[in-house]
């Protein structure tokens, strides 16, 4: 973090929410600065350094998803998205474009604070959550993944493209072949966040990845489902030159 007191940028066009969040964070030992939209957010980021951005999705002008994509692409601070949209696809989109967590309105201020603290703790970790296989070509179950180019090719010549989330998930499996990984553990390793009770993000990502690499996604042989456990890469991993 930038100093002993975390500095949070709260971006929301609703004054009541913006003011309430700002006051609550300050009462709990954090510095808080607010912005009413993406344009004011940009000005604040140029003027100061922040440890985290609390960013609303639905705003006039540039929406929060577009703003989050820009900030993440530019190596900006971690982002916690706020939205009245509770649909699973909306949460997944927010996380895949670079947000670190997603909280649906209305929310408890205590939960918001807990999630902010969790993101800040993860931001202090020296080790990456996933992607420690850089510069290698790894073979598994007839596939070869180039971890630098993210190219995934099958021995029969097929090539598939991976989203950023799918690539992270696959590298987590390749780093831990034949290990049983719970949904919570996979979510922590791929995006560094804690699952909600009804969070289906990992299940959806596994399903999409299976459609790309399994011969029969309905009867998967590569990524196995472990009852009451989670998932496991049911294949050996080898270095390919």
């Amino acid at each position: 973090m930038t100093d002993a007191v975390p500095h949070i940028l709260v971006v929301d066009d609703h004054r009541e929410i913006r003011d309430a969040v700002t006051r609550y964070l300050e009462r709990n030992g954090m510095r808080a600065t607010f912005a009413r939209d993406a344009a004011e957010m940009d000005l604040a980021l140029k003027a100061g350094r922040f440890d985290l951005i609390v960013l609303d999705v639905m705003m006039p002008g540039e929406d929060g998803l577009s703003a989050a994509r820009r900030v993440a692409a530019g190596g900006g601070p971690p982002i916690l998205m706020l939205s009245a949209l509770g649909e699973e696809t909306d949460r997944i989109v927010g996380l895949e474009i670079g947000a670190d967590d997603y909280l649906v309105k209305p929310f408890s201020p205590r939960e918001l604070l807990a999630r902010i603290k969790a993101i800040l703790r993860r931001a202090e970790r020296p080790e990456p959550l996933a992607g420690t296989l850089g510069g290698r070509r790894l073979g598994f179950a007839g596939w070869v993944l180039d971890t630098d180019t993210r190219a995934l090719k099958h021995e029969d010549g097929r090539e598939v493209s991976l989203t950023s989330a799918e690539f992270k998930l696959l590298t987590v499996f390749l780093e831990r072949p034949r290990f049983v990984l719970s949904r919570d553990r996979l979510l922590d390793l791929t995006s560094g966040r804690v699952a909600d009770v009804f969070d289906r993000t990992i299940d959806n990502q596994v399903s999409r990845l299976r459609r790309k690499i399994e011969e029969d996604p309905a009867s998967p042989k590569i990524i196995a489902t472990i009852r009451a456990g989670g998932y496991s890469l049911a294949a050996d991993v080898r270095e390919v030159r």
Side-chain angles (χ1 to χ4, degrees):
M1 290 182 288
T2 55
D3 51 39
V5 179
H7 193 182
I8 312 300
L9 178 59
V10 180
V11 187
D12 199 306
D13 62 309
H14 293 283
R15 179 179 177 181
E16 295 82 2
I17 295 176
R18 187 175 65 236
D19 291 349
V21 169
T22 299
R23 288 195 302 269
Y24 188 81
L25 294 178
E26 290 176 340
R27 287 200 304 269
N28 284 274
M30 297 185 179
R31 297 173 59 200
T33 298
F34 71 81
R36 290 169 291 189
D37 54 28
E40 287 193 2
M41 177 194 75
D42 290 340
L43 292 175
L45 290 173
K46 290 179 181 178
R49 298 183 65 186
F50 297 90
D51 298 291
L52 183 141
I53 303 173
V54 176
L55 178 60
D56 186 31
V57 171
M58 303 297 290
M59 296 188 297
E62 184 182 15
D63 65 69
L65 293 176
S66 173
R69 183 182 292 109
R70 287 195 297 103
V71 171
I79 300 169
L80 171 59
M81 304 294 298
L82 298 179
S83 178
L85 303 175
E87 293 296 325
E88 188 173 72
T89 53
D90 297 312
R91 296 198 300 271
I92 293 171
V93 168
L95 295 168
E96 288 190 339
I97 65 174
D100 295 83
D101 206 346
Y102 193 110
L103 189 57
V104 177
K105 298 178 180 178
F107 55 85
S108 160
R110 291 179 63 186
E111 181 178 6
L112 174 66
L113 181 63
R115 288 175 180 261
I116 288 174
K117 288 181 176 179
I119 294 172
L120 294 176
R121 285 195 301 269
R122 293 192 295 265
E124 293 178 333
R125 291 179 180 174
E127 74 277 12
L129 297 169
T132 59
L133 302 175
R136 300 169 65 184
R137 298 178 72 242
L138 299 172
F140 67 99
W143 292 94
V144 174
L145 176 69
D146 187 316
T147 59
D148 279 349
T149 65
R150 298 191 179 187
L152 180 61
K153 296 182 180 180
H154 195 269
E155 58 189 15
D156 64 9
R158 284 179 291 155
E159 184 172 354
V160 299
S161 59
L162 299 173
T163 66
S164 177
E166 291 163 354
F167 175 76
K168 286 182 179 180
L169 181 61
L170 181 56
T171 57
V172 165
F173 281 126
L174 294 178
E175 288 165 346
R176 302 161 180 84
R178 301 191 183 279
F179 276 78
V180 177
L181 299 167
S182 69
R183 291 169 177 81
D184 286 348
R185 182 64 174 149
L186 285 168
L187 193 60
D188 180 52
L189 288 167
T190 56
S191 61
R193 67 186 187 88
V194 178
D196 295 324
V197 175
F198 301 106
D199 199 321
R200 301 281 296 176
T201 300
I202 289 299
D203 295 312
N204 289 327
Q205 290 178 358
V206 167
S207 179
R208 291 199 299 270
L209 186 57
R210 280 172 169 169
R211 287 197 292 269
K212 293 185 177 183
I213 68 174
E214 298 277 4
E215 292 298 324
D216 181 6
S219 182
K221 304 296 185 183
I222 302 174
I223 301 177
T225 299
I226 309 300
R227 180 175 296 182
Y231 298 101
S232 176
L233 181 71
D236 294 324
V237 179
R238 70 186 191 282
E239 194 92 25
V240 177
R241 300 188 180 279

